[in-house]
Amino acid sequence: MYTEIIGTLKGQDKHFACVVSRFNDFITARLLEGALDCFTRHGGDEKNITVVRVPGSFEIPVTAAKLAKSGKYDAVLCLGAVIRGATPHFDYVAAEAAKGIGQAALDSGVPVIFGVLTTENIEQAVERAGAKSGNKGWDAMISAMEMSDLFGKL
Ligand code: INI
C-alpha cells in the first residue's frame, strides 16, 4: 500500500499574492475577478489577498520572484495576457513570462502559478477570461490552493 499525498482545495487561512499585468487590462481584470471569486467560494478571506500591478507580462516574473521570496505568501498567482495579433514580439514576451515564472517557483520553493494567457487573438483571450472556455484566473486559484496545501504536507 502506497502513501499518497494530495493537496485539497481550501482558501481558509491562505495568504496569496496576485501579480496582475496592466497590459490588456480588459482581460487581466476578468482573470483577477475569477481568481478572487474562486478564493472566496472556497472559504478564503479577500483581506488575505495582495494584488500587485505590473506594466506587462514581461515584468511578472521578477515581481513574482520577489514576492515568493518574501516568505509572506503561501503561493503567488501570475495573471497576464499576451495576444499574438497585438504584438510583433509576442514570442519574446510569452517565452520570458513562462520561463521566468517557472524559475521564480524553483528559486523560492513557493508555488508560483502560471495564469498568463498566450493566445493567437483577442477572441481566444476573451473566451478564456470568463466566456466559453471558462476563466483561467479561476483555474490559477484552484492550482494555488492545491499546491499551497500540498506543500504544507511535504
Ligand atoms: N505585455 C503583455 O502582457 N501582453 C502583450 O500582449 C504585450 N504586447 O503586446 O507587447 C505586452 N507587452 C509589454 C511587455 O510585457 C512589457 O511590459 C514591456 O515590453 C516593457 O518591458
Side-chain angles (χ1 to χ4, degrees):
M1 182 62 184
Y2 57 82
T3 300
E4 185 177 57
I5 308 174
I6 56 169
T8 56
L9 303 181
K10 52 179 188 185
Q12 285 94 346
D13 303 320
K14 292 283 168 57
H15 294 74
F16 295 141
C18 298
V19 186
V20 185
S21 161
R22 276 197 297 271
F23 205 103
N24 292 327
D25 170 70
F26 69 108
I27 296 293
T28 61
R30 300 286 89 75
L31 298 178
L32 179 60
E33 272 176 23
L36 295 175
D37 189 31
C38 181
F39 185 61
T40 52
R41 288 200 201 198
H42 286 82
D45 186 336
E46 224 177 83
K47 76 173 179 345
N48 293 335
I49 298 281
T50 301
V51 175
V52 180
R53 310 270 179 189
V54 296
S57 295
F58 192 81
E59 284 73 36
I60 289 177
V62 67
T63 313
K66 210 171 168 57
L67 290 163
K69 283 187 198 147
S70 73
K72 293 182 191 163
Y73 306 103
D74 299 299
V76 178
L77 292 81
C78 300
L79 304 177
V82 193
I83 301 173
R84 188 186 291 278
T87 172
H89 53 290
F90 171 93
D91 293 308
Y92 300 106
V93 176
E96 285 305 314
K99 181 162 62 73
I101 288 169
Q103 197 60 49
L106 289 173
D107 290 348
S108 64
V110 171
V112 182
I113 308 299
F114 188 74
V116 179
L117 300 181
T118 56
T119 64
E120 292 299 316
N121 51 50
I122 289 173
E123 189 183 21
Q124 286 179 355
V126 170
E127 284 171 6
R128 290 160 178 73
K132 68 182 179 197
S133 299
N135 186 313
K136 297 296 170 197
W138 175 288
D139 297 345
M141 182 56 78
I142 291 284
S143 298
M145 289 189 294
E146 179 174 348
M147 288 299 292
S148 57
D149 191 67
L150 178 66
F151 273 31
K153 295 172 177 169
L154 297 180

